[in-house]
Amino acid sequence: MARGGPPGFAAPAALAAVLLLDWAAVRAGVPGHRALAVLVPVLAAAAFVVGLRAAAARRPGAAWRDVAAAAAGAAARDAYGNALLVMATVAAGVVAASVPVTAPLVVGQLALVAVAVDARSRTP
């Protein structure tokens, strides 16, 4: 088990479940579905950016809560890095959808992009 314990594993899955339920509500046509249709993808992208930044900034011995807070702060300060992460995620999704056998490989590419964006933001 990772040092983060069960919450470290459950939090991303719970967030994904909430976003999927929200998207299902949009597809079902609940009141306000037009606003949700814009909000859900934006929130999903923001959550993915913070998750990638947290994965890139993780160091041995660091608590996930501190890493996630630092990643959220970095995401708030670095809009250009966020755009790079979102574009890389879209490109990885297109490649994985086009050639499904490459899905494990694009995950590594996303990790590389996240580490590069993290290093870029640390350099003066």
Side-chain angles (χ1 to χ4, degrees):
M1 176 95 28
R3 285 184 183 229
F9 291 109
L15 180 63
V18 167
L19 289 172
L20 285 173
L21 286 172
D22 286 345
W23 191 249
V26 167
R27 301 276 304 191
V30 298
H33 70 280
R34 289 193 178 132
L36 275 177
V38 173
L39 192 61
V40 169
V42 169
L43 289 176
F48 204 78
V49 163
V50 171
L52 279 174
R53 284 184 178 269
R58 175 81 167 117
R59 301 291 179 260
W64 272 111
R65 182 174 300 190
D66 299 334
V67 172
R77 289 186 304 273
D78 187 17
Y80 182 70
N82 295 343
L84 287 172
L85 288 171
V86 169
M87 288 186 288
T89 302
V90 169
V94 168
V95 169
S98 299
V99 186
V101 76
T102 63
L105 301 174
V106 298
V107 172
Q109 297 299 321
L110 283 176
L112 178 65
V113 169
V115 169
V117 167
D118 184 50
R120 184 191 62 81
S121 68
R122 290 182 188 191
T123 340

